[in-house]
Amino acid sequence: MIDTSRNERSGNRERAVLVGVILPGGEYNTDDPLDEIRGLAKTAGLDVVGTMLQKRQQVDVATYIGSGKVDELKEQVRAFEADVVIFDSDLGPGQTRNLEKALECKVVDRTEVILDIFAIHAQTHEAHLQVELAQLEYAMPRLKRMWTHLSRYKGGIGVRGPGEKQLEEDKRLVVHRIQELKAKLGKIQARKEREVAGRGDFPTVSLVGYTNAGKSTLMNALTDAGVLVENKLFATLDTRTRKWRFRGGGAALLSDTVGFIRDLPHALVASFKATLEEARQADLLLHVVDASSPDAEMQVRAVVEVLEELGLKDHPTLLVLNKADRVPDRSFLDVLRAQHRDSIAISAAKGEGLEALEHAVRQALLESALDAEVEISVADGRVLSYLAQHAQIHGRTYDEANDRVVVDCRLPRRCLDFLYEHGAEVREKEIRIYA
């Protein structure tokens, strides 16, 4: 991991050389392919002193970049007196080991930098648990790297040296800690599900989007939430929920979530499921995009991929083109709106377009969700389980004489087909936006 504590103690930032490899079919900033990893390095507190970019048809199995580029990179490391080399891709344990041996300095990959940033920004107990779990799952296949210096103690067949024994003990400790963390986070997620499902008085809206797209600025503009706004990637990790009072009357609950990024580590997506519960339970997602970024379309696709991984591919979503005031050319914004015809262009920082956004949100809430009474047999565990997972339950009324139960709830309209197919009786009511 990156030694940020050492930086703080000494007052000196670690010096980093960035390495990017462009492969066929990869998505990168065409103006500066290393722009995002440079931002990550800056957020991690590193001083970028050099860069290397290479085009390859496929990665080198041993070193990712090939022996010739390794020699070139070694010269850069020596010339700039670099402390660490950062790859804008994921490296295998063997590749990292070979590179560190050849370069004689620390080598980290994209995932490790992101994990370190999350560790720096984790504030709550829940966030610390989530980050620790992701770090341990990342470290598991790399434990052997820590013990290569003990390889000379290996014995013959059937004889284990002290390095191997320590490695086995470390793996047991890590596996045990992973199980412990998953159990704790499982309880947190169950509690979070109950909390979110219990907010029955108002419809819920969740902000999602690429990191640094302006979600926190929009949250503050709509609710006066006082959420930290900082020009850094992953400035906030913890979800905040505030009441959004509509100008035309009524309100909704608005939640801010952790930002996404291209190739977001799967371990982080899994460990942050409790935090992202707000998005999963929301009646509507506001997908916030930095319209001024030359990579806006790529960022849209990256967020959609994470939403798919979370099972939210078909969730009601409204695309919000933020920072419209910073678009260098109006035609660029027109192209984005043509590709996403139902999008809303705004500037959260200047308060422009917020009234149109509110109108679109109110309409989307009315179209995407409904309040209803769902009547089923008390023995129909499948439908009851489905409602518990997909609906916000307001209450239950039991008819013991007929073995029936009426569930008062708010649910997405997409759930109606499932309920009708399983014989449930659904009585719709007007959604309570105007509370």
Side-chain angles (χ1 to χ4, degrees):
M1 296 296 176
I2 298 168
D3 188 5
T4 52
S5 60
R6 181 175 70 81
N7 295 341
E8 293 171 355
R9 289 195 302 272
S10 65
N12 296 322
R13 292 153 61 94
E14 279 192 301
R15 298 163 66 85
V17 174
L18 308 180
V19 180
V21 177
I22 299 178
L23 299 170
E27 288 192 293
Y28 302 90
N29 182 327
T30 52
D31 295 329
D32 181 5
L34 294 175
D35 178 64
E36 188 166 271
I37 192 65
R38 184 180 287 103
L40 290 169
K42 178 182 176 183
T43 302
L46 300 173
D47 184 14
V48 177
V49 295
T51 61
M52 173 181 287
L53 196 62
Q54 180 189 29
K55 289 185 177 181
R56 293 184 66 92
Q57 289 300 309
Q58 59 186 20
V59 302
D60 182 82
V61 176
T63 62
Y64 204 88
I65 55 176
S67 58
K69 281 294 181 180
V70 169
D71 292 338
E72 184 180 330
L73 184 57
K74 187 174 183 178
E75 291 180 7
Q76 275 209 48
V77 169
R78 288 178 174 175
F80 293 119
E81 298 182 348
D83 304 293
V84 59
V85 172
I86 300 177
F87 276 72
D88 188 22
S89 36
D90 286 337
L91 302 175
Q95 291 169 330
T96 303
R97 189 162 56 247
N98 294 336
L99 285 165
E100 287 187 337
K101 183 178 179 180
L103 300 175
E104 299 177 347
C105 77
K106 183 166 47 181
V107 175
V108 299
D109 62 13
R110 178 186 175 87
T111 291
E112 195 165 354
V113 176
I114 294 173
L115 289 174
D116 279 334
I117 292 171
F118 271 63
I120 293 168
H121 290 170
Q123 298 293 325
T124 65
H125 175 63
E126 177 185 341
H128 281 294
L129 293 179
Q130 292 166 324
V131 172
E132 184 183 354
L133 174 60
Q135 287 177 323
L136 288 177
E137 290 187 329
Y138 172 82
M140 264 295 287
R142 292 164 172 79
L143 284 177
K144 189 174 181 180
R145 163 185 166 194
M146 304 173 188
W147 294 100
T148 52
H149 64 288
L150 294 174
S151 60
R152 63 181 180 274
Y153 292 116
K154 281 188 178 180
I157 296 175
V159 180
R160 292 190 176 92
E164 290 174 290
K165 290 179 182 178
Q166 183 64 56
L167 176 61
E168 290 178 0
E169 179 63 22
D170 283 355
K171 283 186 175 179
R172 280 194 293 270
L173 290 172
V174 171
V175 169
H176 176 74
R177 181 58 177 164
I178 287 175
Q179 293 172 343
E180 185 180 32
L181 289 169
K182 284 184 175 179
K184 289 181 179 179
L185 287 171
K187 291 180 181 178
I188 290 173
Q189 183 167 351
R191 184 177 71 245
K192 184 87 71 175
E193 288 176 358
R194 292 192 298 271
E195 290 175 357
V196 176
R199 298 171 183 164
D201 293 335
F202 300 97
T204 54
V205 180
S206 186
L207 297 170
V208 298
Y210 214 76
T211 186
N212 225 20
K215 299 186 303 300
S216 295
T217 301
L218 179 57
M219 178 89 169
N220 290 339
L222 297 175
T223 69
D224 297 322
V227 178
L228 171 67
V229 176
E230 196 172 359
N231 188 26
K232 286 186 177 180
L233 304 180
F234 304 115
T236 54
L237 299 184
D238 299 300
T239 300
R240 290 177 173 84
T241 301
R242 298 289 186 273
K243 185 178 290 186
W244 176 11
R245 298 187 182 278
F246 296 144
R247 305 178 192 189
L253 293 179
L254 183 66
S255 297
D256 188 15
T257 61
V258 62
F260 302 155
I261 200 169
R262 173 176 60 84
D263 300 326
L264 188 67
H266 294 291
L268 272 177
V269 176
S271 65
F272 270 74
K273 277 187 176 177
T275 297
L276 294 168
E277 183 63 26
E278 302 280 355
R280 196 176 72 82
Q281 292 275 11
D283 295 311
L284 177 68
L285 301 180
L286 292 187
H287 178 174
V288 184
V289 182
D290 179 359
S292 68
S293 170
D295 299 317
E297 196 59 45
M298 180 273 287
Q299 293 178 4
V300 169
R301 289 194 294 270
V303 171
V304 170
E305 288 176 3
V306 178
L307 292 176
E308 288 181 3
E309 190 171 347
L310 293 169
L312 297 173
K313 178 182 177 181
D314 299 320
H315 210 85
T317 304
L318 182 63
L319 195 71
V320 181
L321 303 177
N322 191 27
K323 305 184 184 181
D325 58 307
R326 294 169 55 182
V327 175
D329 190 318
R330 182 71 190 185
S331 63
F332 187 75
L333 184 60
D334 292 339
V335 170
L336 279 174
R337 298 198 69 175
Q339 293 172 330
H340 306 281
R341 294 190 178 279
D342 295 328
S343 60
I344 304 293
I346 69 164
S347 169
K350 293 192 173 182
E352 298 172 355
L354 300 186
E355 190 170 347
L357 174 62
E358 177 187 310
H359 176 75
V361 166
R362 289 162 66 98
Q363 287 299 115
L365 286 172
L366 290 171
E367 294 170 2
S368 66
L370 72 151
D371 283 339
E373 293 179 339
V374 181
E375 183 175 341
I376 50 174
S377 167
V378 294
D380 195 337
R382 185 172 184 182
V383 172
L384 287 172
S385 176
Y386 183 84
L387 288 174
Q389 183 177 2
H390 295 277
Q392 296 179 19
I393 308 297
H394 305 319
R396 297 177 178 84
T397 304
Y398 292 91
D399 181 355
E400 296 182 0
N402 298 303
D403 291 329
R404 305 284 288 176
V405 59
V406 176
V407 181
D408 183 14
C409 61
R410 175 177 295 132
L411 71 161
R413 290 187 180 275
R414 66 181 187 279
C415 298
L416 290 177
D417 289 343
F418 176 91
L419 296 176
Y420 290 140
E421 287 173 6
H422 290 80
E425 182 180 340
V426 181
R427 296 187 288 273
E428 294 189 29
K429 302 190 296 183
E430 184 177 355
I431 191 168
R432 289 171 285 191
I433 292 180
Y434 303 100

